[in-house]
Amino acid sequence: MYHENDFDSMGPLPQLAAGEHILWRGKPKKSAYIADKALSMLPIAVFWLIFDLNFLRMAGGNAFLLVFLAVHMMPVWLWLGSAVTSVIQWRNEDYFLTNKRIIIRKGVLSPQRQSVFLRDVHDIRLHYGLLDRLFGSGDIYINYAVHRRGKHRSTSGYFLLNLQDPQNLQERIELLAMEAGAPSNQEFY
């Protein structure tokens, strides 16, 4: 179990209910997170840039054509912006596991806090993409029930992205969910 002093350099803690304790706190692995964000649009941006650079060579000094090409290169500018802001997004993304719930806190301009109670967790899946394998990380997908008026209405899910040791965390969440009374996969489906 962690104590509040353990997190002083990592930013503020989420508000916890009475009797709730943080068991694990983590962030996405920085290199994997930034690469994932930056490389997602890279092929399109490179293709677009090569295409527009050919026209730029032919434009010479034509001011109208230069302005048109600057606007036309919007996919390149969007990719560049995504790559630069991924560092800021990484700084503002935190994951918490308490004895009662999973909390995801993220967002730059409009911070969001999402949480799911462990008793509502139905399925936890690991995902290792190509970049995850290259950077030694993985993703966890948490499927949980959404209750309205006391009845199970639908399911939804959260991703914990680019984690350093996702298998260990998955096992901890599964154990805590079973202790909290979450149904097994067979009972849910």
Side-chain angles (χ1 to χ4, degrees):
M1 182 166 51
Y2 291 106
H3 298 284
E4 200 162 326
N5 296 343
D6 297 337
F7 300 119
D8 287 344
S9 64
M10 299 172 81
L13 295 172
Q15 192 167 8
L16 302 176
E20 187 174 17
H21 308 285
I22 295 175
L23 304 174
W24 177 87
R25 178 181 182 175
K27 296 180 80 55
K29 187 174 180 181
K30 188 175 185 178
S31 57
Y33 186 85
I34 293 171
D36 194 22
K37 297 281 186 180
L39 295 177
S40 63
M41 278 184 52
L42 182 62
I44 295 168
V46 168
F47 174 76
W48 208 275
L49 182 62
I50 290 169
F51 183 78
D52 280 357
L53 284 178
N54 285 327
F55 281 107
L56 191 59
R57 260 188 314 137
M58 293 186 292
N62 187 338
F64 172 76
L65 198 52
L66 291 174
V67 171
F68 172 77
L69 286 172
V71 173
H72 191 262
M73 287 178 49
M74 189 58 66
V76 176
W77 308 131
L78 290 173
W79 168 78
L80 192 58
S82 173
V84 170
T85 59
S86 64
V87 176
I88 298 167
Q89 291 171 345
W90 173 82
R91 284 187 184 165
N92 291 305
E93 190 153 333
D94 292 301
Y95 306 132
F96 300 89
L97 174 63
T98 74
N99 57 325
K100 296 184 180 189
R101 60 192 167 141
I102 300 161
I103 303 167
I104 300 171
R105 188 173 57 192
K106 61 183 175 180
V108 177
L109 297 177
S110 58
Q112 302 171 7
R113 194 189 104 219
Q114 305 160 323
S115 64
V116 59
F117 286 95
L118 292 168
R119 68 175 180 265
D120 295 331
V121 172
H122 288 288
D123 187 29
I124 303 170
R125 298 179 193 155
L126 285 177
H127 177 262
Y128 295 97
L130 178 62
L131 286 176
D132 291 321
R133 291 180 186 153
L134 289 172
F135 288 98
S137 64
D139 306 329
I140 296 178
Y141 179 72
I142 300 166
N143 190 15
Y144 64 95
V146 177
H147 298 278
R148 293 196 179 95
R149 296 187 191 120
K151 295 181 181 178
H152 169 78
R153 294 288 185 207
S154 63
T155 59
S156 191
Y158 285 137
F159 280 102
L160 304 178
L161 298 172
N162 306 113
L163 297 170
Q164 180 73 37
D165 186 9
Q167 188 170 356
N168 184 33
L169 183 58
Q170 177 199 24
E171 292 168 0
R172 288 182 77 179
I173 294 171
E174 286 175 342
L175 181 65
L176 288 167
M178 286 189 284
E179 289 174 0
S184 67
N185 289 343
Q186 290 77 25
E187 293 173 7
F188 178 64
Y189 294 110

